[in-house]
Amino acid sequence: MAKNQKQFVEEITPMEVDFAQWYTDVIKKTDMVDYSPVKGFMVIKHYGYAIWENIQAYMDRRFKETGHKNMYFPLLIPESLLQKEAEHVEGFAPEVAWVTHGGDEELAERLCVRPTSETIICSMYAKWLSSYRDLPFLYNQWCNVVRWEKSTRPFLRTSEFLWQEGHTLHETYDEAQEETLKMLNVYRETAENLLAMPVVIGRKTDREKFAGAYATYTMEALMHDGKALQAGTSHNLGQHFTKAFEIEYQDREGKQQHPYHTSWGVSTRLIGGIIMVHGDNRGLSLPPGIAPIQAVIVPIAAHKGGVNEAAAKIFEELKPTFRMELDDREQYSPGWKFNEWEMKGVPLRIEIGPRDLEQEQVVLFRRDTLEKETCSLDQVKQRVGELLETIQKNLLEKAREMRDQKTHVVHDEETFKRIMKETPGFVKAMWCGDEDCEERVKTETGATIRCIPFEQEKLGDTCPFCGKPAEQMVYYAKAY
RNA sequence: CUGGCUGUGGCGCAGUUUGGUAGCGCGCUAGAAUGGGGUUCUAGAGGUCGCAGGUUCAAUUCCUGUCAGCCAGACCA
């Protein structure tokens, strides 16, 4: 055998060595994305888009189960609408794209490409709402938005991204708050149950909250490199927008009232999270819940004694139940295919060759543990189902362990700085609640308060940075 | 936006210092054998060197500008 073995698929940079490069390698080599001619705008290729479709299918069902209906609002928003809510414009104006011409003619009023749709939706809600009997409004839309980003990275921060945004109106503050937390909880369940991605949930500090929100709640996940990813947010918008947009209804006493408002969204950024939470040196490792291909069948020595036929038969048997691929390409060797599908993160591989046929069995290979086992032909369907469930759970478990191992409790500034530098991850610490203190930590360490978690622990009585009394525990991390 | 690096067949790269019109590996096509961890042999096809301008008899090579990407940072729901 020649010493220079051919490399059909380029090696992936080991993730321990250079995580950023690893990420770029993986997404390009697995047909997740490609770059378009315009900076920050990515083509989502079939393998990446299939993951998005699976996320959509699950979440859309959950939204409908919780009483929401889908609508679609326009891409373009008149400048005057965007400017109605002061904090909101200030937050978004620097990163909106403008349409100034229609054909050759300059528009009387320029139009922004939606960076988010609160304004256009509120302008419509104002027309549609008249009585308390109309409430609540529970609507969602799946769409794209554009935010002119200075530095971009596929899935994690792109100038255009796909997402869903829910926008609801309620009679009372309490109802709006309940909705805000209910949808955050749907997000958390999606992250944990579907994406196998553990998250910390809590409230954003005022510094970090959404432009125009009364309160922002978030789920934060931790990546392999110790950086946090804001994976979804749910905002209680109070009456900020409903007053600005003059959304009014007649209440039970016949008085005019402004309703309470929420919005919540997750985006294709989740795909980046899945890649960075589960991936390893062989490439992707996808949770069965969203994997475009849940199991791939690789026939070995396919021409010999009925192997092809047996593989095809298993394929037909499993296809109605699982997302399957039969890799009967003749130009590649089995070994090549093994590596290819591992890189693409297919959770389960089914090998079948002459030796298996003799013994009426197949070989099952798990991507998450790299373990092989044999399974008799008549048990394959059942065993595949079991293993996919096991893999789904194991990935969540492994991700939890990784996160816990990268989560530290800190009581003093020196330790905090050392951890952020040497072994970055989540740091749990008490916080005085002072925005200046929060700002100083960010400037000096690059870490921000990711959230004030719902699950509080009393780690001490004072803030590690200023020594002032502290009542809240927060999670700090460097973030994407 | 700042700093560093990069752009040459589909992919990865060499060539650029000392200008003379392009080379390698993989992939691709055809045929044959092989097939349980990136298979072998034979014969082929394919690029004008990111884009624009300049210098020159002549530019992939030198100069200017510009676009795009990577890495780090600043900024950013």
Side-chain angles (χ1 to χ4, degrees):
Chain A
M1 179 64 64
K3 39 194 142 149
N4 298 331
Q5 274 207 329
K6 289 181 187 175
Q7 296 194 328
F8 288 84
V9 178
E10 297 300 321
E11 289 296 330
I12 295 165
T13 307
M15 66 193 305
E16 299 91 358
V17 180
D18 187 345
F19 192 72
Q21 196 61 53
W22 171 88
Y23 180 81
T24 310
D25 285 353
V26 167
I27 54 170
K28 277 165 76 177
K29 286 171 184 167
T30 54
D31 292 313
M32 300 278 277
V33 296
D34 203 351
Y35 299 96
S36 83
V38 185
K39 178 177 164 58
F41 288 75
M42 273 74 194
V43 177
I44 303 178
K45 295 178 75 181
H46 61 95
Y47 204 66
Y49 198 77
I51 294 174
W52 182 238
E53 287 178 315
N54 290 332
I55 294 172
Q56 274 188 308
Y58 176 94
M59 298 195 83
D60 198 62
R61 202 185 72 234
R62 294 302 311 274
F63 296 158
K64 285 169 181 162
E65 283 168 2
T66 46
H68 303 86
K69 293 188 170 89
N70 285 331
M71 290 204 196
Y72 184 78
F73 291 86
L75 173 71
L76 300 179
I77 302 173
E79 181 167 21
S80 54
L81 274 190
L82 188 73
Q83 292 191 327
K84 281 200 171 183
E85 212 287 333
E87 277 182 43
H88 188 69
V89 203
E90 199 188 322
F92 281 102
E95 52 182 18
V96 296
W98 293 100
V99 175
T100 57
H101 288 74
D104 290 337
E105 288 182 33
E106 189 166 347
L107 302 175
E109 178 181 8
R110 56 180 188 161
L111 308 169
C112 88
V113 182
R114 63 184 164 211
T116 178
S117 303
E118 275 75 9
T119 54
I120 181 79
I121 290 178
C122 282
S123 76
M124 299 310 295
Y125 280 2
K127 291 168 71 173
W128 299 337
L129 180 65
S130 50
S131 157
Y132 72 90
R133 292 180 210 274
D134 300 328
L135 292 172
F137 272 19
L138 302 174
Y139 300 110
N140 174 67
Q141 80 167 341
W142 291 95
C143 68
N144 58 342
V145 291
V146 169
R147 297 178 188 180
W148 215 262
E149 297 286 353
K150 288 179 178 143
S151 69
T152 58
R153 187 182 293 238
F155 294 122
L156 300 174
R157 171 158 269 113
T158 48
S159 293
E160 178 189 17
F161 54 90
L162 306 183
W163 78 344
Q164 60 69 216
E165 46 181 327
H167 295 266
T168 69
L169 296 180
H170 307 266
E171 272 189 88
T172 65
Y173 173 86
D174 286 347
E175 273 180 50
Q177 178 67 6
E178 188 189 332
E179 168 80 5
T180 307
L181 296 182
K182 181 199 282 178
M183 298 323 287
L184 181 70
N185 212 43
V186 168
Y187 287 168
R188 180 185 61 75
E189 285 172 18
T190 303
E192 291 177 355
N193 299 341
L194 188 74
L195 313 180
M197 183 167 78
V199 290
V200 173
I201 53 173
R203 188 165 60 81
K204 283 287 187 191
T205 63
D206 284 349
R207 190 185 174 284
E208 299 277 331
K209 75 180 182 188
F210 177 75
Y214 175 81
T216 289
Y217 299 86
T218 180
M219 62 174 175
E220 301 280 327
L222 196 66
M223 306 296 109
H224 262 296
D225 61 349
K227 285 166 88 173
L229 186 73
Q230 178 177 301
T233 46
S234 186
H235 316 289
N236 183 337
L237 301 169
Q239 294 173 309
H240 292 178
F241 286 87
T242 61
K243 283 180 177 167
F245 284 84
E246 298 170 311
I247 304 177
E248 288 183 326
Y249 68 95
Q250 204 165 27
D251 71 10
R252 289 155 207 264
E253 276 82 48
K255 282 189 256 171
Q256 289 300 108
Q257 299 285 359
H258 298 287
Y260 292 83
H261 177 203
T262 85
S263 74
W264 25 275
V266 299
S267 72
T268 37
R269 176 183 259 195
L270 287 178
I271 299 172
I274 295 165
I275 297 167
M276 292 196 295
V277 164
H278 302 301
D280 61 24
N281 288 335
R282 295 191 185 206
L284 297 173
S285 181
L286 297 175
I290 48 85
I293 300 167
Q294 293 174 309
V296 60
I297 300 172
V298 179
I300 290 151
H303 297 311
K304 288 182 184 163
V307 170
N308 257 340
E309 293 73 11
K313 197 178 157 201
I314 298 169
F315 180 60
E316 291 303 324
E317 184 194 349
L318 300 187
K319 205 168 61 170
T321 314
F322 309 106
R323 293 190 288 274
M324 298 294 300
E325 174 91 7
L326 173 60
D327 189 355
D328 54 6
R329 292 175 295 177
E330 291 184 16
Q331 67 270 39
Y332 297 119
S333 68
W336 193 95
K337 292 175 181 176
F338 294 171
N339 283 284
E340 158 114 334
W341 294 116
E342 281 164 28
M343 181 177 71
K344 288 195 150 190
V346 175
L348 204 57
R349 178 172 78 233
I350 302 171
E351 304 172 18
I352 181 159
R355 269 188 264 157
D356 301 307
L357 271 190
E358 275 174 33
Q359 300 179 48
E360 301 191 337
Q361 64 172 32
V362 296
V363 173
L364 300 175
F365 173 91
R366 281 174 64 172
R367 174 64 180 86
D368 62 331
T369 58
L370 308 178
E371 289 167 355
K372 275 185 182 183
E373 66 175 55
T374 56
C375 170
S376 70
L377 278 177
D378 54 355
Q379 300 282 310
V380 173
K381 186 171 171 184
Q382 189 196 337
R383 190 61 188 144
V384 166
E386 288 168 4
L387 280 175
L388 289 176
E389 264 182 52
T390 306
I391 293 168
Q392 182 79 30
K393 284 185 193 142
N394 183 49
L395 284 175
L396 177 61
E397 196 46 44
K398 270 177 34 179
R400 275 217 177 92
E401 281 167 23
M402 185 267 286
R403 182 193 63 183
D404 291 348
Q405 188 246 323
K406 290 181 195 295
T407 301
H408 305 89
V409 173
V410 161
H411 301 281
D412 65 282
E413 182 165 342
E414 196 185 323
T415 310
F416 184 93
K417 285 182 172 166
R418 181 171 52 76
I419 286 175
M420 279 306 165
K421 213 173 164 187
E422 292 170 12
T423 54
F426 276 141
V427 166
K428 295 198 270 191
M430 297 305 286
W431 180 48
C432 55
D434 186 340
E435 205 163 315
D436 292 339
C437 190
E438 181 185 7
E439 180 68 34
R440 181 172 75 85
V441 173
K442 178 178 163 43
T443 310
E444 291 182 18
T445 69
T448 50
I449 297 179
R450 301 319 302 155
C451 72
I452 305 158
F454 294 138
E455 277 187 35
Q456 283 284 317
E457 297 166 51
K458 185 148 180 75
L459 305 173
D461 300 311
T462 56
C463 173
F465 301 100
C466 64
K468 283 192 282 189
E471 308 229 314
Q472 293 169 312
M473 181 193 86
V474 297
Y475 276 82
Y476 283 94
K478 292 184 183 174
Y480 270 99

